[in-house]
Amino acid sequence: MSEKPKSTGAPAHQNVTFPSAGSTAHGYLALPPSGRGPGVIVIQEWWGLTNHIADVTDRLAREGFVALAPDLYGGNVAHDTDEAVRMMQELPVSRGVELLSGAVDHLLGRPEVTSDTAGAVGFCMGGGFVIYLAAADPRVTAAVPFYGVIQGELPDFSALTAQIQGHYGELDGTIPVEKLDELRAAIQHQSGITPDLRLYPAGHAFFNDGRPEAYDAKSSAQAWQSTVAFLHDQLG
């Protein structure tokens, strides 16, 4: 593992490298003011490891967490929707989960991390990956998907150990409310866990303050306050 200073000129925020999925992965790590705390994985939108995702990682660190945002695109950042769709489609879900599990390995192995398990917070594509990762990796015990986009079939939730608090927009046409009902029912039936899936009077990407056309300040603030409290409650 090696670390380097953050470069503002880089296409993606990276300041840490670690072994993952048979190769060297990169990510953005932020430490809390105390230097130690519970571990949380932050999973990017389909745009990549952008300023917004690095800012969320920093915000979690200020709340007392050791936060790691793994770079699933290897340093690339999408500049328009077509490119974002292509980059997301070029990352198979199974490969993304493998990379994320490697990030959990790294995070839980760091001396600054005080928790035995990890939380995961993700947005859009990353919100879907929160669900897939929690279903596949029992070391993730607190899962927070923001308007998570599920790619393809739902995973098998029979090994799920995580409590789930999800944040979704009532006006989000990409994730209809009936899809959330299906997700909730599948999780309950297969794992016995009842996910807390919350709706806000907002659309898709309402938490992304870098997109003024989508950002909803009130819904964002409510979701963030709930997320921080949930992670502290679950991880200590």
Side-chain angles (χ1 to χ4, degrees), residues 139-181:
R139 297 173 300 171
V140 176
T141 57
V144 186
F146 277 73
Y147 31 88
V149 174
I150 299 293
Q151 302 176 60
E153 298 297 320
L154 290 174
D156 179 359
F157 293 110
S158 58
L160 180 74
T161 62
Q163 295 298 316
I164 299 173
Q165 183 186 98
H167 305 284
Y168 299 84
E170 292 176 340
L171 309 179
D172 187 349
T174 64
I175 308 172
V177 173
E178 56 267 25
K179 291 295 184 182
L180 295 182
D181 293 337

Side-chain angles (χ1 to χ4, degrees), residues 46-48 73 75-91 125:
W46 65 356
W47 305 108
Y73 288 169
N76 296 311
V77 171
H79 298 93
D80 57 45
T81 300
D82 289 343
E83 190 175 16
V85 170
R86 176 183 61 79
M87 292 166 70
M88 181 178 71
Q89 291 176 342
E90 290 176 353
L91 177 66
M125 177 191 81

Side-chain angles (χ1 to χ4, degrees), residues 193-225:
I193 293 172
T194 300
D196 180 6
L197 305 181
R198 305 183 179 191
L199 287 170
Y200 300 82
H204 192 73
F206 68 81
F207 190 77
N208 192 335
D209 54 6
R211 295 182 57 198
E213 77 282 4
Y215 178 61
D216 185 292
K218 183 176 180 180
S219 297
S220 175
Q222 291 174 344
W224 180 253
Q225 183 179 33

Side-chain angles (χ1 to χ4, degrees), residues 23-197:
S23 61
T24 299
H26 301 263
Y28 179 71
L29 177 76
L31 299 179
S34 68
R36 303 178 75 243
V40 176
I41 296 290
V42 183
I43 310 178
Q44 69 195 48
E45 295 176 302
W46 65 356
W47 305 108
L49 186 42
T50 60
N51 292 340
H52 171 60
I53 297 301
D55 178 64
V56 172
T57 307
D58 288 335
R59 290 176 65 183
L60 282 167
R62 290 195 294 270
E63 296 288 351
F65 301 99
V66 177
L68 172 63
D71 188 345
L72 298 180
Y73 288 169
N76 296 311
V77 171
H79 298 93
D80 57 45
T81 300
D82 289 343
E83 190 175 16
V85 170
R86 176 183 61 79
M87 292 166 70
M88 181 178 71
Q89 291 176 342
E90 290 176 353
L91 177 66
V93 169
S94 59
R95 176 63 175 173
V97 171
E98 187 180 15
L99 289 167
L100 291 166
S101 287
V104 174
D105 286 338
H106 175 72
L107 183 66
L108 293 180
R110 293 191 67 97
E112 305 94 339
V113 173
T114 59
S115 56
D116 295 327
T117 60
V121 179
F123 306 85
C124 183
M125 177 191 81
F129 270 121
V130 165
I131 298 295
Y132 286 113
L133 177 64
D137 195 328
R139 297 173 300 171
V140 176
T141 57
V144 186
F146 277 73
Y147 31 88
V149 174
I150 299 293
Q151 302 176 60
E153 298 297 320
L154 290 174
D156 179 359
F157 293 110
S158 58
L160 180 74
T161 62
Q163 295 298 316
I164 299 173
Q165 183 186 98
H167 305 284
Y168 299 84
E170 292 176 340
L171 309 179
D172 187 349
T174 64
I175 308 172
V177 173
E178 56 267 25
K179 291 295 184 182
L180 295 182
D181 293 337
E182 293 174 12
L183 176 63
R184 183 184 294 106
I187 293 171
Q188 287 177 319
H189 176 70
Q190 296 175 27
S191 72
I193 293 172
T194 300
D196 180 6
L197 305 181

